[in-house]
Amino acid sequence: MTSNEIKALYKDNIMQTYARFDVVIDHGQGARVYSPEGKEYIDFTSGIGVNSLGYGNVKWAEAIYQQALKLQHMSNLFYTEPGAALARELTARSGMAAVFYANSGAESNEGAIKLARKYSFDKYGQGRSKIVTLVQSFHGRTITTLAATGQDNFHTYFFPFTQGFAHARANDMESLKSVADSETCAVMLELVQGEGGVLPLAPEYVKQVEAFCKEKDLVFIVDEVQTGVGRTGALFAYQQYDVSPDVVTFAKGIAGGLPMGGILANEKCAGVLTAGTHAATFGGNPVTCAAALAVLSQLTPALIADVAGKGARIKKTITGWNSPRVKEVRGLGLMLGVSIQGAAPKEIAAKCIDSGLLMLTAGADAIRMLPPLTITDEEIDAGLAILEKVLEDAK
Ligand SMILES: *Cc1c(COP(=O)(O)O)cnc(C)c1O
């Protein structure tokens, strides 16, 4: 099909829930993707941080193919090898005690919320169910994770939302202390707020939150759906922040493009969700687990160190342009935001895309880059050349 045929079918047959860019993508190689007509794009988005290994990764595709031929799915009432091997890898490299497999970020966060409430119920009985999240956070699109999300524009239409969420200002301990009361059971936060604008939390603040949670026996949940799996220059961002959360959720990049999420829990929380209290039909599917194993086996410590180096180089290059359009470059590793002044971020992103560079936006003021973790220096330079020109032309 041509791009126009594909777009027409979308218009006629698919709910119009996305403000899509006017581009059809057909295939990719490395960090480059192509339209059906062969127009080339450097990809600084990787499907919002999903395609960790870029496109055309043969080891990843082989792992999926071989597992699909062997056994594509089995109910969680039985055991399968890929789930076992992946769990060993995840617990060893995270230092956490156990994992629960889910299918998406929102679902993983829902599970973490259930876990926190049950932890508190088991220990203290009813009445301790409030979860504090941060202003400008994003935790998902289900009714409960929308309630968790600390942005008012998400709290419309779908009333009634799930009860029991309060929002504190980021990097402000007083704000957290003023909303965390005797009914609170958990604090949930992103270490770098992604959708909210690529806003890294201050390390001292995160340490203080950890200590506060310990003191009050609150479950400390870190939502690493976007930051996790090598994105920030560590396997998980909490390792860089040098904190030990009780519960960590992940999703986007874990299976390199197949839908997967999960919840990691430490010793304190690993036994909370017991048989019959939580489940997911597709969770731990052998094909997605095989894909995730192929991702993790390629995300070696050396490659993850490279992610940090590449991110630092991109930051330095953009800062070095001294562009009047660039207010600030922020983020960690290959999760970067450029706050834009004197032009609309959405327009800058659209112009990048027109010029052959896939680009995202975040929050109200920023364009956002989440390239494949395997992006080469040559691909980075090709992408940055396009961005530099777009910023120059944005008068
Ligand atoms: C994307 C994202 C989610 C939601 O993930 P889905 O897979 O779309 O449900 C939740 N939390 C964070 C931090 C995210 O970036």
Side-chain angles (χ1 to χ4, degrees):
M1 283 190 253
T2 65
S3 287
N4 282 337
E5 286 165 343
I6 292 166
K7 285 187 272 182
L9 287 172
Y10 266 68
K11 183 165 178 286
D12 293 344
N13 301 287
I14 292 185
M15 290 188 197
Q16 301 298 298
T17 55
Y18 300 98
R20 292 181 210 278
F21 291 107
D22 192 33
V23 173
V24 179
I25 301 298
D26 181 69
H27 61 281
Q29 187 60 45
R32 287 184 163 87
V33 294
Y34 300 86
S35 77
E37 289 75 23
K39 179 165 167 146
E40 179 181 289
Y41 301 88
I42 300 284
D43 183 9
F44 273 13
T45 71
S46 49
I48 316 197
V50 168
N51 303 321
S52 347
L53 304 176
Y55 305 90
N57 187 283
V58 174
K59 280 189 190 148
W60 174 81
E62 269 293 322
I64 292 168
Y65 174 66
Q66 292 301 340
Q67 186 56 48
L69 278 177
K70 196 174 168 195
L71 179 79
Q72 77 276 33
H73 178 73
M74 191 39 61
S75 148
N76 276 307
L77 298 173
F78 301 94
Y79 298 94
T80 58
E81 182 177 325
L86 177 61
R88 177 175 59 193
E89 183 78 5
L90 281 169
T91 53
R93 292 178 70 175
S94 67
M96 302 297 270
V99 65
F100 174 88
Y101 295 127
N103 306 286
S104 70
E107 188 198 356
S108 304
N109 287 336
E110 286 258 354
I113 290 162
K114 283 176 69 178
L115 190 160
R117 287 186 171 174
K118 185 163 184 297
Y119 171 84
S120 188
F121 182 90
D122 289 348
K123 200 159 167 184
Y124 302 99
Q126 247 170 331
R128 220 169 158 270
S129 59
K130 193 202 267 186
I131 292 167
V132 178
T133 65
L134 300 184
V135 173
Q136 278 307 101
S137 60
F138 180 80
H139 297 295
R141 294 282 187 168
T142 62
I143 294 279
T144 296
T145 54
L146 280 175
T149 292
Q151 301 184 54
D152 288 340
N153 53 320
F154 285 89
H155 302 153
T156 51
Y157 312 124
F158 311 113
F159 305 101
F161 288 94
T162 306
Q163 297 291 298
F165 290 91
H167 311 295
R169 280 188 304 277
N171 297 321
D172 181 345
M173 265 327 274
E174 291 317 308
S175 172
L176 177 64
K177 285 178 181 165
S178 73
V179 291
D181 54 19
S182 60
E183 292 178 1
T184 301
C185 67
V187 175
M188 176 160 84
L189 49 76
E190 303 155 88
L191 294 171
V192 182
Q193 297 185 317
E195 306 300 311
V198 193
L199 306 164
L201 295 186
E204 325 75 73
Y205 169 74
V206 177
K207 283 269 187 202
Q208 287 172 326
V209 174
E210 180 190 37
F212 181 73
C213 288
K214 209 167 222 136
E215 182 199 322
K216 307 271 184 205
D217 196 19
L218 309 179
V219 178
F220 180 27
I221 307 170
V222 176
D223 175 351
E224 294 235 26
V225 168
Q226 192 160 150
T227 53
V229 201
R231 176 57 56 189
T232 60
L235 188 63
F236 290 100
Y238 71 80
Q239 297 167 323
Q240 265 164 309
Y241 274 83
D242 194 24
V243 289
S244 304
D246 298 310
V247 173
V248 174
T249 58
F250 58 92
K252 290 187 164 88
I254 182 66
L258 294 195
M260 181 180 222
I263 308 167
L264 282 159
N266 65 5
E267 290 293 345
K268 171 174 129 179
C269 291
V272 171
L273 293 172
T274 49
T277 60
H278 198 51
T281 297
F282 287 114
N285 168 282
V287 176
T288 52
C289 285
L293 275 164
V295 169
L296 289 180
S297 70
Q298 294 184 58
L299 294 190
T300 58
L303 188 138
I304 293 174
D306 241 30
V307 167
K310 282 172 187 165
R313 188 168 78 82
I314 294 174
K315 250 189 189 170
K316 197 167 156 213
T317 303
I318 296 176
T319 308
W321 294 338
N322 288 317
S323 164
R325 294 288 150 262
V326 174
K327 194 166 158 206
E328 186 191 10
V329 191
R330 58 196 181 219
L332 279 178
L334 287 174
M335 179 174 180
L336 295 167
V338 180
S339 73
I340 299 290
Q341 54 193 3
K346 190 92 194 168
E347 255 155 57
I348 299 289
K351 283 191 180 130
C352 285
I353 293 169
D354 276 349
S355 316
L357 173 65
L358 299 191
M359 183 63 77
L360 297 162
T361 59
D365 74 330
I367 57 169
R368 173 171 47 149
M369 296 175 272
L370 297 165
L373 305 180
T374 51
I375 192 167
T376 64
D377 286 334
E378 180 272 325
E379 290 161 337
I380 289 173
D381 290 340
L384 287 176
I386 294 171
L387 177 60
E388 184 177 17
K389 173 120 200 349
V390 166
L391 290 173
E392 258 172 33
D393 292 348
K395 291 276 150 49

